């Protein structure tokens, strides 16, 4: 009895210690206890999981059989059985699972590389991802890397987008951190790498919150912010202290776009005069101020009430397309937002969409908007965007600089916080007339 009580006491103390370890230091508990247990489970059950998900293949292999052994062969089970072939080694069909690589732990799960069977493609594993996730009792499994003959699966234990927080970070030019990706990494929008972004989303989906986060992070940077808000200016007027220019009508938009195109041409002439391919290779004292253009509702720029607006719409579409095509080299960047983005708005929207390499798709009301945003990238990304529930504002599908798509969520930025940032950094706002009135710098004649 004493020994039994001692064993029970040791087990209770061990259980309490493990609970405390997991409660107060979950990271080390995951790497020290939980992940090794999960890894053992994955390796031990992988053959059954692959077979259930139809990822196995039959191979002809030599195997040792017991048919000719009288004690354990068929003759022992049935005395009337006559063994005609007494070969102990023969070729039989053997079910083989894909070869697993080394499991590598991450903060939220693990990654592992698999070798494809002959005839398999990564799409086979994308279709089986949901079944693998249920078999391993994890939140999700995704194909995150594809190489010839190999795929990498990334398993996530829990949804990292339930609560999103960010720690303070130093300000970097033309880099904003609006939230987090589903792999736990920070979501970084680097305009030097991806110059233009398309931000689609329905009302209350988090589209405006993403714009607030971008304005808050760009406010302390030495950049010029330009706004297009054809909803009467109700969205961007509170940020007017930090905006160098704001257009609230169609005519103002045409004039402001003309100024932007003229500024791009001035910067182009300056680069040509100094033998530079872009403004970032100019001497620092000649380098112009970067310009970030925010369009609140792109559909308002392309809709026509009557034929009298056709010319203005055409000029608007042409100017926006020129900015998208030429802006990257000359530090003019676009963030185009919209609730409804469809081909019915005209060919200008389709041409503009093709130049916006960064894509953000929140919950949308119609499938065509999701198709316009993500349909030309990856069908799986399109399915993920359509599955965003209405009760998770800020969750979106992002396709950016790494060439892959991710689920992400922007951190909640109240409007008052973005407005306060605009007021605090109002002294950094460049004067628009002085900015677009600059003349190109040329070499004097020899």
């Amino acid at each position: 009895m004493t020994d039994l009580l001692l064993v029970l006491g040791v087990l209770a103390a061990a259980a309490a210690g493990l609970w405390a370890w997991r409660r107060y230091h979950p990271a080390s508990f995951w790497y020290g206890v939980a992940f090794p247990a999960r890894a053992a489970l994955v390796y031990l059950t992988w053959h059954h999981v692959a077979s259930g998900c139809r990822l196995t293949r039959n191979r002809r292999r030599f195997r040792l059989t017991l048919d000719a052994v009288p004690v354990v062969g068929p003759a022992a089970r049935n005395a009337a059985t006559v063994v005609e072939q007494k070969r102990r080694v023969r070729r039989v069909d053997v079910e083989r699972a894909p070869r697993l690589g080394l499991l590598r732990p991450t903060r939220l799960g693990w990654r592992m590389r698999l070798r494809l069977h002959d005839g398999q493609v990564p799409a086979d594993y994308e279709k089986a991802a949901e079944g693998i996730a249920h078999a391993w009792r994890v939140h999700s499994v995704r194909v995150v890397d594809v190489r010839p003959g190999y795929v990498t699966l990334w398993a996530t234990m829990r949804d990292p987008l339930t609560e999103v927080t960010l720690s303070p970070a130093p300000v970097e030019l033309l880099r904003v951190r609006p939230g987090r990706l589903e792999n736990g990494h920070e979501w970084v929008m680097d305009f030097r790498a991806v110059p233009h972004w398309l931000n689609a989303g329905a009302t209350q989906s988090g589209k405006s919150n993403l714009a607030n986060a971008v304005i808050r992070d760009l406010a302390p940077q030495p950049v010029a912010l330009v706004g297009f808000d054809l909803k009467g200016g109700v969205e961007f007027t509170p940020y007017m202290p930090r905006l160098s220019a704001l257009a609230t009508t169609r005519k103002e938009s045409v004039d402001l776009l003309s100024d932007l195109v003229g500024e791009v041409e001035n910067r182009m002439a300056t680069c040509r005069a100094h033998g530079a391919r872009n403004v970032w290779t100019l001497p620092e004292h000649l380098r112009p101020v970067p310009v970030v253009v925010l369009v609140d509702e792109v559909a308002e720029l392309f809709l026509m009430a009557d034929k009298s607006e056709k010319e203005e719409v055409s000029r608007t579409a042409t100017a926006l397309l020129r900015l998208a095509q030429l802006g990257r080299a000359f530090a003019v960047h676009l963030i185009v937002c919209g609730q409804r983005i469809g081909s019915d708005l005209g060919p200008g929207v389709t041409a503009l969409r093709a130049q916006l390499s960064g894509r953000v798709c929140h919950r949308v009301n119609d499938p065509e908007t999701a198709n316009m945003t993500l349909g030309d990238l990856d069908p799986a990304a399109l399915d993920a965007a359509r599955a965003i529930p209405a009760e998770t504002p800020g969750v979106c599908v992002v396709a950016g600089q790494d060439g892959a798509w991710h689920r992400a969520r922007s951190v909640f930025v109240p409007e008052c916080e973005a407005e306060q940032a605009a007021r605090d950094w109002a002294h950094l706002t460049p004067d628009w007339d002085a900015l677009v009135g600059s003349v190109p710098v040329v070499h004097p004649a020899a």
Side-chain angles (χ1 to χ4, degrees), residues 335-352:
I335 302 178
V336 179
C337 306
Q339 297 183 30
R340 168 87 173 107
I341 303 173
S343 58
D344 58 321
L345 298 177
V349 173
T350 305
L352 178 64

Side-chain angles (χ1 to χ4, degrees), residues 101-133:
L102 180 66
L103 266 68
R104 295 167 289 173
T106 63
R107 229 162 33 93
L108 299 172
W110 63 86
R111 297 163 63 99
M112 66 177 186
R113 180 176 294 179
L114 296 102
R115 183 173 181 177
L116 301 179
H117 282 312
D118 295 339
Q120 286 186 336
V121 294
D124 297 332
Y125 291 82
E126 292 174 355
K127 295 177 182 178
E130 185 176 0
I132 297 174

Side-chain angles (χ1 to χ4, degrees), residues 66-297:
L66 302 177
D67 293 345
V69 180
V71 178
V72 296
R77 295 190 296 270
N78 187 355
T81 301
V82 178
V83 180
E84 297 180 354
Q85 297 179 355
K86 296 185 178 181
R87 293 175 300 171
R88 295 191 180 185
V89 178
R90 65 176 59 177
R91 290 178 62 87
V92 296
D93 288 333
V94 178
E95 190 179 46
R96 298 293 300 273
R99 184 179 300 175
L100 277 182
L102 180 66
L103 266 68
R104 295 167 289 173
T106 63
R107 229 162 33 93
L108 299 172
W110 63 86
R111 297 163 63 99
M112 66 177 186
R113 180 176 294 179
L114 296 102
R115 183 173 181 177
L116 301 179
H117 282 312
D118 295 339
Q120 286 186 336
V121 294
D124 297 332
Y125 291 82
E126 292 174 355
K127 295 177 182 178
E130 185 176 0
I132 297 174
H134 283 285
W136 287 346
R137 307 296 190 269
V138 296
H139 174 262
S140 65
V141 172
R142 270 194 54 200
V143 177
V144 297
D145 186 24
V146 177
R147 296 185 180 183
Y150 295 89
V151 295
T152 300
L153 299 184
W154 176 57
T156 306
M157 295 292 296
R158 57 181 177 82
D159 188 359
L161 305 182
T162 304
E163 295 182 3
V164 178
T165 58
L166 291 176
S167 57
V171 176
E172 299 180 61
L173 182 63
L174 292 177
R175 286 171 63 95
V176 300
R177 303 179 311 130
R180 287 194 178 275
L181 303 176
E182 62 177 344
N183 57 11
H185 298 162
E186 291 183 350
W187 173 15
V188 178
M189 297 175 63
D190 188 351
F191 291 95
R192 295 282 298 273
V194 182
H196 310 305
W197 289 80
L198 176 62
N199 176 23
T203 303
Q204 301 297 323
S205 66
K207 175 172 56 68
S208 298
N209 182 77
L210 177 59
N212 293 341
V214 170
I215 292 175
R216 181 200 61 181
D217 286 357
L218 287 177
Q221 301 183 24
V223 300
L225 301 180
V226 178
F228 289 83
D229 183 4
L230 268 65
K231 292 190 296 187
V234 296
E235 292 290 338
F236 288 159
T237 297
Y239 310 129
M240 197 60 201
R242 189 59 183 86
L243 297 180
S244 296
L246 175 63
T248 58
T249 64
R250 182 70 59 78
K251 184 180 183 306
E252 292 178 357
S253 299
V254 172
D255 295 338
L256 186 53
L257 286 171
S258 299
D259 290 343
L260 285 167
V261 172
E263 175 61 16
V264 168
E265 292 175 350
N266 288 341
R267 298 182 179 193
M268 189 185 307
T270 303
C271 292
R272 183 173 62 250
H274 291 83
R277 293 181 178 272
N278 54 63
V279 296
W280 305 110
T281 57
L282 287 171
E284 188 171 354
H285 67 282
L286 296 177
R287 197 172 299 163
V289 177
V291 179
V292 179
V293 180
L294 298 101
V295 181
D296 177 61
E297 186 55 61

